[in-house]
Protein backbone atom coordinates (compact mmCIF):
# COMPACT_ATOMS: atom_id res chain seq x y z
CA UNK A 1 0.00 0.00 0.00
CA UNK A 2 1.30 3.45 -0.91
CA UNK A 3 2.46 5.52 2.06
CA UNK A 4 -0.03 8.31 1.25
CA UNK A 5 -3.02 5.94 1.26
CA UNK A 6 -1.72 4.34 4.43
CA UNK A 7 -1.48 7.69 6.23
CA UNK A 8 -4.97 8.70 5.08
CA UNK A 9 -6.52 5.45 6.31
CA UNK A 10 -4.71 5.81 9.63
CA UNK A 11 -6.10 9.35 9.94
CA UNK A 12 -9.68 8.21 9.12
CA UNK A 13 -9.36 5.32 11.58
CA UNK A 14 -8.24 7.76 14.30
CA UNK A 15 -11.17 10.11 13.56
CA UNK A 16 -13.76 7.33 13.67
CA UNK A 17 -12.33 5.57 16.73
CA UNK A 18 -14.30 7.84 19.10
CA UNK A 19 -17.58 6.16 18.04
CA UNK A 20 -19.24 9.51 17.16
CA UNK A 21 -20.79 10.51 13.84
CA UNK A 22 -18.45 12.26 11.39
CA UNK A 23 -19.84 13.71 8.18
CA UNK A 24 -18.20 12.78 4.89
CA UNK A 25 -17.59 16.47 4.31
CA UNK A 26 -15.85 16.97 7.67
CA UNK A 27 -13.62 13.92 7.11
CA UNK A 28 -12.83 15.10 3.57
CA UNK A 29 -11.73 18.51 4.87
CA UNK A 30 -9.68 16.92 7.64
CA UNK A 31 -7.72 14.63 5.29
CA UNK A 32 -7.70 16.97 2.28
CA UNK A 33 -9.60 14.70 -0.14
CA UNK A 34 -12.94 14.68 -1.97
CA UNK A 35 -15.94 13.03 -0.29
CA UNK A 36 -15.88 10.38 -3.02
CA UNK A 37 -12.25 9.53 -2.23
CA UNK A 38 -13.06 9.37 1.49
CA UNK A 39 -15.96 7.00 0.76
CA UNK A 40 -13.53 4.76 -1.15
CA UNK A 41 -11.09 4.62 1.78
CA UNK A 42 -13.89 3.87 4.26
CA UNK A 43 -15.22 1.15 1.97
CA UNK A 44 -11.74 -0.46 1.95
CA UNK A 45 -11.52 -0.25 5.76
CA UNK A 46 -14.97 -1.90 5.95
CA UNK A 47 -13.75 -4.72 3.70
CA UNK A 48 -10.90 -5.26 6.17
CA UNK A 49 -13.31 -5.65 9.09
CA UNK A 50 -14.11 -2.16 10.36
CA UNK A 51 -17.80 -1.96 11.44
CA UNK A 52 -18.77 1.37 9.85
CA UNK A 53 -22.38 2.63 9.74
CA UNK A 54 -23.40 5.26 7.21
CA UNK A 55 -26.50 7.32 8.08
CA UNK A 56 -27.85 9.86 5.59
CA UNK A 57 -27.51 13.39 6.92
CA UNK A 58 -25.26 12.31 9.79
CA UNK A 59 -22.24 10.65 8.21
CA UNK A 60 -20.12 7.73 9.32
CA UNK A 61 -19.88 6.10 12.74
CA UNK A 62 -18.32 2.95 14.16
CA UNK A 63 -20.48 0.30 15.82
CA UNK A 64 -18.48 0.93 18.98
CA UNK A 65 -15.57 3.21 19.87
CA UNK A 66 -12.14 1.78 20.59
CA UNK A 67 -8.81 3.00 21.90
CA UNK A 68 -6.15 3.08 19.21
CA UNK A 69 -2.91 1.22 19.76
CA UNK A 70 -0.09 3.69 20.45
CA UNK A 71 3.60 2.80 20.60
CA UNK A 72 4.37 5.57 23.13
CA UNK A 73 1.59 4.41 25.46
CA UNK A 74 2.90 0.84 25.36
CA UNK A 75 6.53 1.85 25.88
CA UNK A 76 5.69 4.04 28.90
CA UNK A 77 4.37 0.94 30.67
CA UNK A 78 7.45 -1.17 30.04
CA UNK A 79 9.89 -1.11 32.94
CA UNK A 80 12.95 -1.55 30.75
CA UNK A 81 12.05 -0.50 27.22
CA UNK A 82 15.70 0.29 26.44
CA UNK A 83 16.31 0.57 22.72
CA UNK A 84 13.72 -2.03 21.72
CA UNK A 85 11.48 -1.01 18.87
CA UNK A 86 7.72 -0.97 19.47
CA UNK A 87 6.15 -0.22 16.11
CA UNK A 88 2.40 0.26 15.63
CA UNK A 89 1.08 0.14 12.05
CA UNK A 90 -2.47 0.98 11.02
CA UNK A 91 -2.73 -1.62 8.24
CA UNK A 92 -0.49 -4.61 7.45
CA UNK A 93 -1.11 -7.85 5.55
CA UNK A 94 0.29 -9.65 8.62
CA UNK A 95 2.64 -8.63 11.44
CA UNK A 96 4.61 -11.88 10.98
CA UNK A 97 5.09 -11.15 7.27
CA UNK A 98 6.20 -7.58 8.05
CA UNK A 99 8.87 -8.80 10.49
CA UNK A 100 10.04 -11.56 8.13
CA UNK A 101 10.53 -8.92 5.46
CA UNK A 102 12.70 -6.90 7.84
CA UNK A 103 14.75 -10.00 8.63
CA UNK A 104 15.42 -10.71 4.94
CA UNK A 105 16.22 -7.04 4.20
CA UNK A 106 18.38 -6.11 7.19
CA UNK A 107 18.54 -8.56 10.12
CA UNK A 108 21.39 -6.54 11.71
CA UNK A 109 18.92 -3.68 12.26
CA UNK A 110 16.71 -5.87 14.48
CA UNK A 111 17.20 -6.41 18.21
CA UNK A 112 15.75 -9.17 20.38
CA UNK A 113 12.37 -8.05 21.65
CA UNK A 114 11.51 -5.70 18.77
CA UNK A 115 7.74 -5.86 18.22
CA UNK A 116 5.32 -4.86 15.46
CA UNK A 117 1.60 -4.37 16.19
CA UNK A 118 -1.21 -3.74 13.69
CA UNK A 119 -4.70 -2.26 14.01
CA UNK A 120 -5.77 -4.01 10.81
CA UNK A 121 -4.40 -7.25 9.38
CA UNK A 122 -5.58 -7.91 5.85
CA UNK A 123 -4.08 -11.41 5.61
CA UNK A 124 -3.51 -12.63 9.17
CA UNK A 125 -2.42 -16.27 9.40
CA UNK A 126 -2.86 -19.04 11.92
CA UNK A 127 -1.24 -22.48 11.94
CA UNK A 128 -1.50 -24.85 8.99
CA UNK A 129 -2.11 -21.89 6.65
CA UNK A 130 -5.47 -21.00 8.19
CA UNK A 131 -6.52 -17.36 8.23
CA UNK A 132 -6.66 -15.52 11.56
CA UNK A 133 -9.84 -13.45 11.74
CA UNK A 134 -9.57 -10.31 13.84
CA UNK A 135 -12.16 -7.52 14.14
CA UNK A 136 -10.64 -4.03 13.96
CA UNK A 137 -10.21 -2.64 17.48
CA UNK A 138 -11.41 -5.92 18.97
CA UNK A 139 -8.20 -7.91 18.86
CA UNK A 140 -4.53 -7.64 19.63
CA UNK A 141 -2.27 -8.89 16.84
CA UNK A 142 1.47 -8.49 17.08
CA UNK A 143 4.78 -10.16 16.33
CA UNK A 144 8.11 -10.11 18.16
CA UNK A 145 11.62 -10.81 16.90
CA UNK A 146 14.07 -13.00 18.80
CA UNK A 147 17.35 -14.54 17.62
CA UNK A 148 18.78 -17.91 18.63
CA UNK A 149 22.53 -18.01 17.85
CA UNK A 150 22.66 -21.78 18.50
CA UNK A 151 20.23 -22.37 15.66
CA UNK A 152 16.92 -24.06 15.15
CA UNK A 153 17.57 -26.93 17.61
CA UNK A 154 17.81 -24.47 20.54
CA UNK A 155 14.18 -23.39 19.99
CA UNK A 156 12.49 -26.66 21.03
CA UNK A 157 9.40 -25.83 23.08
CA UNK A 158 9.35 -22.14 22.10
CA UNK A 159 5.60 -22.00 21.30
CA UNK A 160 4.86 -23.50 24.74
CA UNK A 161 7.06 -20.89 26.43
CA UNK A 162 5.27 -18.11 24.53
CA UNK A 163 1.92 -19.50 25.71
CA UNK A 164 3.14 -19.25 29.31
CA UNK A 165 4.26 -15.65 28.71
CA UNK A 166 0.81 -14.74 27.32
CA UNK A 167 -0.82 -16.25 30.43
CA UNK A 168 1.62 -14.34 32.66
CA UNK A 169 0.83 -11.05 30.91
CA UNK A 170 -2.92 -11.66 31.17
CA UNK A 171 -2.63 -12.28 34.91
CA UNK A 172 -1.59 -8.63 35.23
CA UNK A 173 -4.95 -7.54 33.75
CA UNK A 174 -7.02 -9.73 36.06
CA UNK A 175 -7.23 -13.04 34.21
CA UNK A 176 -5.92 -15.84 36.42
CA UNK A 177 -7.39 -19.01 34.97
CA UNK A 178 -6.14 -19.29 31.40
CA UNK A 179 -5.10 -22.75 30.21
CA UNK A 180 -2.81 -23.94 27.42
CA UNK A 181 -3.52 -26.43 24.67
CA UNK A 182 -0.42 -28.06 23.20
CA UNK A 183 1.40 -26.78 21.26
CA UNK A 184 0.30 -23.17 20.84
CA UNK A 185 -3.22 -22.14 21.88
CA UNK A 186 -4.38 -20.19 24.93
CA UNK A 187 -7.83 -21.07 26.30
CA UNK A 188 -10.16 -19.28 28.70
CA UNK A 189 -13.18 -21.06 30.21
CA UNK A 190 -12.72 -23.95 27.78
CA UNK A 191 -12.74 -21.79 24.64
CA UNK A 192 -9.91 -20.46 22.48
CA UNK A 193 -8.67 -17.01 23.48
CA UNK A 194 -5.37 -16.67 21.61
CA UNK A 195 -3.20 -18.40 19.04
CA UNK A 196 0.56 -18.40 18.55
CA UNK A 197 2.39 -18.75 15.24
CA UNK A 198 6.18 -19.21 15.30
CA UNK A 199 8.08 -18.75 12.03
CA UNK A 200 11.83 -19.05 11.54
CA UNK A 201 14.22 -17.59 8.99
CA UNK A 202 17.84 -18.67 8.63
CA UNK A 203 20.09 -21.44 7.38
CA UNK A 204 20.62 -24.74 9.20
CA UNK A 205 23.59 -24.40 11.55
CA UNK A 206 23.41 -20.61 11.59
CA UNK A 207 21.57 -18.15 13.84
CA UNK A 208 17.81 -18.76 13.77
CA UNK A 209 15.89 -15.52 13.29
CA UNK A 210 12.55 -16.14 14.93
CA UNK A 211 9.21 -14.36 14.50
CA UNK A 212 6.76 -14.92 17.34
CA UNK A 213 3.21 -14.07 16.23
CA UNK A 214 0.35 -13.68 18.72
CA UNK A 215 -3.34 -13.12 17.99
CA UNK A 216 -5.59 -12.44 20.99
CA UNK A 217 -9.37 -11.88 21.15
CA UNK A 218 -10.11 -8.72 23.14
CA UNK A 219 -13.77 -8.12 22.26
CA UNK A 220 -15.37 -10.22 19.52
CA UNK A 221 -18.76 -9.29 18.05
CA UNK A 222 -21.34 -12.02 18.72
CA UNK A 223 -21.96 -14.40 15.85
CA UNK A 224 -19.98 -12.49 13.24
CA UNK A 225 -16.93 -14.74 13.15
CA UNK A 226 -17.10 -18.42 12.33
CA UNK A 227 -13.63 -19.71 13.19
CA UNK A 228 -14.64 -23.37 13.30
CA UNK A 229 -14.44 -23.64 17.10
CA UNK A 230 -15.82 -21.89 20.20
CA UNK A 231 -13.85 -18.78 21.16
CA UNK A 232 -13.67 -16.47 24.16
CA UNK A 233 -12.55 -12.87 24.58
CA UNK A 234 -11.19 -10.70 27.39
CA UNK A 235 -14.22 -8.36 27.49
CA UNK A 236 -16.70 -11.21 28.03
CA UNK A 237 -14.65 -12.48 30.98
CA UNK A 238 -13.78 -9.13 32.59
CA UNK A 239 -17.12 -7.42 32.02
CA UNK A 240 -15.42 -4.47 30.32
CA UNK A 241 -13.14 -3.89 27.33
CA UNK A 242 -9.56 -3.59 28.58
CA UNK A 243 -7.16 -1.10 26.97
CA UNK A 244 -5.24 -3.12 24.39
CA UNK A 245 -2.16 -0.96 25.05
CA UNK A 246 -2.11 -2.27 28.66
CA UNK A 247 -2.58 -5.87 27.53
CA UNK A 248 0.17 -5.54 24.90
CA UNK A 249 2.60 -3.99 27.39
CA UNK A 250 2.10 -6.79 29.95
CA UNK A 251 2.53 -9.58 27.37
CA UNK A 252 5.59 -7.93 25.81
CA UNK A 253 7.15 -7.51 29.25
CA UNK A 254 6.46 -11.17 30.11
CA UNK A 255 8.14 -12.25 26.85
CA UNK A 256 11.15 -10.01 27.51
CA UNK A 257 11.42 -11.49 30.99
CA UNK A 258 11.13 -15.18 30.04
CA UNK A 259 12.82 -15.46 26.63
CA UNK A 260 16.44 -14.82 27.79
CA UNK A 261 16.23 -17.70 30.29
CA UNK A 262 14.65 -19.93 27.64
CA UNK A 263 17.41 -19.03 25.13
CA UNK A 264 20.07 -20.01 27.69
CA UNK A 265 18.50 -23.03 29.39
CA UNK A 266 15.83 -24.30 27.00
CA UNK A 267 12.28 -25.28 27.92
CA UNK A 268 13.21 -27.61 30.80
CA UNK A 269 12.89 -25.02 33.63
CA UNK A 270 9.38 -24.13 32.39
CA UNK A 271 7.97 -27.65 31.82
CA UNK A 272 6.35 -28.05 35.26
CA UNK A 273 4.75 -24.59 34.99
CA UNK A 274 3.34 -25.50 31.57
CA UNK A 275 1.93 -28.81 32.84
CA UNK A 276 0.11 -26.97 35.64
CA UNK A 277 -1.84 -25.04 32.98
CA UNK A 278 -2.39 -27.95 30.53
CA UNK A 279 -6.02 -27.91 29.30
CA UNK A 280 -6.01 -31.67 28.67
CA UNK A 281 -3.85 -32.87 31.58
CA UNK A 282 -4.58 -36.56 32.26
CA UNK A 283 -7.47 -36.53 29.79
CA UNK A 284 -8.08 -38.80 26.82
CA UNK A 285 -7.05 -37.06 23.61
CA UNK A 286 -6.84 -37.65 19.89
CA UNK A 287 -3.75 -36.59 17.95
CA UNK A 288 -4.00 -36.25 14.19
CA UNK A 289 -0.69 -36.32 12.30
CA UNK A 290 -1.43 -36.26 8.59
CA UNK A 291 -3.33 -39.48 7.89
CA UNK A 292 -2.29 -41.05 11.21
CA UNK A 293 -4.43 -40.85 14.31
CA UNK A 294 -3.33 -41.57 17.87
CA UNK A 295 -5.60 -41.94 20.90
CA UNK A 296 -4.23 -41.87 24.43
CA UNK A 297 -3.94 -40.00 27.74
CA UNK A 298 -2.22 -36.59 27.86
CA UNK A 299 0.64 -36.98 30.35
CA UNK A 300 2.14 -33.50 29.95
CA UNK A 301 5.37 -32.49 28.24
CA UNK A 302 9.06 -33.28 28.54
CA UNK A 303 12.01 -30.88 28.82
CA UNK A 304 12.00 -30.33 25.04
CA UNK A 305 8.29 -29.45 24.94
CA UNK A 306 7.32 -32.75 23.31
CA UNK A 307 3.83 -33.97 24.23
CA UNK A 308 3.78 -37.19 26.24
CA UNK A 309 0.88 -39.46 25.32
CA UNK A 310 0.21 -42.69 27.17
CA UNK A 311 -1.09 -45.48 24.92
CA UNK A 312 -1.35 -49.26 25.37
CA UNK A 313 2.27 -49.48 24.21
CA UNK A 314 3.56 -47.05 26.87
CA UNK A 315 4.51 -43.36 26.61
CA UNK A 316 5.00 -41.88 23.14
CA UNK A 317 6.56 -38.45 22.49
CA UNK A 318 5.18 -36.08 19.88
CA UNK A 319 6.95 -32.95 18.70
CA UNK A 320 5.41 -29.95 16.92
CA UNK A 321 4.39 -29.99 13.29
CA UNK A 322 1.13 -30.86 11.61
CA UNK A 323 -0.46 -32.10 14.82
CA UNK A 324 -3.94 -31.21 16.03
CA UNK A 325 -5.14 -32.13 19.46
CA UNK A 326 -8.62 -32.34 20.91
CA UNK A 327 -10.41 -33.92 23.84
CA UNK A 328 -11.87 -37.34 23.17
Amino acid sequence: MKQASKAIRQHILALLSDGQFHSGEAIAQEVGLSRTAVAGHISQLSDWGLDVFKVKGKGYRLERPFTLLKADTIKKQLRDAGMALIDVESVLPSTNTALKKRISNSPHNLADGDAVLAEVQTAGRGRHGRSWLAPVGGSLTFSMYWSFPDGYQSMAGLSLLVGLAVCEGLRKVGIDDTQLKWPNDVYLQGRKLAGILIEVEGQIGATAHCVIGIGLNVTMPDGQYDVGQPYSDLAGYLGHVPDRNDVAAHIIEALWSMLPKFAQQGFGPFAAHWQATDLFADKRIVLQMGEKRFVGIDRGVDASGALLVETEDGISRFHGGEVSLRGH
Side-chain angles (χ1 to χ4, degrees), residues 105-126:
N105 290 342
S106 51
H108 52 278
N109 287 339
L110 285 162
D112 289 346
D114 283 357
V116 178
L117 300 89
E119 286 289 3
V120 181
Q121 280 200 138
T122 58
R125 302 191 314 285

Side-chain angles (χ1 to χ4, degrees), residues 64-278:
R64 58 171 177 264
F66 67 92
T67 304
L68 289 162
L69 289 168
K70 291 193 170 119
D72 288 346
T73 306
I74 295 168
K75 280 195 94 160
K76 273 179 198 158
Q77 296 189 61
L78 298 169
R79 278 172 297 194
D80 185 22
M83 298 299 291
L85 172 81
I86 306 290
D87 181 18
V88 172
E89 297 282 342
S90 56
V91 183
L92 284 175
S94 129
T95 55
N96 265 31
T97 302
L99 258 189
K100 283 166 73 178
K101 202 173 279 184
R102 292 183 193 188
I103 291 168
S104 57
N105 290 342
S106 51
H108 52 278
N109 287 339
L110 285 162
D112 289 346
D114 283 357
V116 178
L117 300 89
E119 286 289 3
V120 181
Q121 280 200 138
T122 58
R125 302 191 314 285
R127 285 179 76 231
H128 310 329
R130 300 186 192 104
S131 61
W132 177 268
L133 298 167
V136 179
S139 64
L140 180 62
T141 52
F142 75 95
S143 299
M144 182 178 287
Y145 171 79
W146 207 274
S147 62
F148 292 86
D150 293 333
Y152 194 85
Q153 68 279 3
S154 64
M155 293 171 42
L158 177 59
S159 66
L160 282 68
L161 180 279
V162 173
L164 283 173
V166 171
C167 294
E168 186 60 35
L170 291 175
R171 258 194 282 280
K172 301 284 174 63
V173 294
I175 295 170
D176 296 317
D177 46 1
T178 48
Q179 291 179 290
L180 295 169
K181 175 184 154 189
W182 187 89
N184 50 8
D185 288 334
V186 181
Y187 273 60
L188 182 61
Q189 297 179 318
R191 301 191 302 276
K192 185 169 175 176
L193 175 70
I196 295 154
L197 178 64
I198 309 280
E199 297 187 273
V200 189
E201 302 282 298
Q203 305 299 314
I204 297 294
T207 294
H209 299 281
C210 186
V211 176
I212 298 163
I214 295 168
L216 173 74
N217 301 329
V218 178
T219 175
M220 299 285 277
D222 287 340
Q224 283 188 27
Y225 286 80
D226 178 11
V227 296
Q229 62 179 307
Y231 56 80
S232 59
D233 60 16
L234 300 185
Y237 180 90
L238 293 169
H240 68 273
V241 180
D243 186 330
R244 292 173 305 144
N245 292 295
D246 294 347
V247 178
H250 287 307
I251 294 174
I252 288 168
E253 193 150 81
L255 286 163
W256 286 359
S257 165
M258 296 165 82
L259 277 163
K261 183 176 180 180
F262 172 85
Q264 288 177 343
Q265 299 178 38
F267 182 69
F270 302 96
H273 185 184
W274 194 94
Q275 287 183 189
T277 59
D278 183 1

Side-chain angles (χ1 to χ4, degrees), residues 280-301:
F280 288 121
D282 300 320
K283 291 190 175 125
R284 194 171 166 81
I285 58 168
V286 179
L287 269 176
Q288 195 81 33
M289 297 180 69
E291 298 297 307
K292 291 184 179 170
R293 199 163 166 272
F294 298 87
V295 178
I297 309 292
D298 173 351
R299 295 300 188 201
V301 293

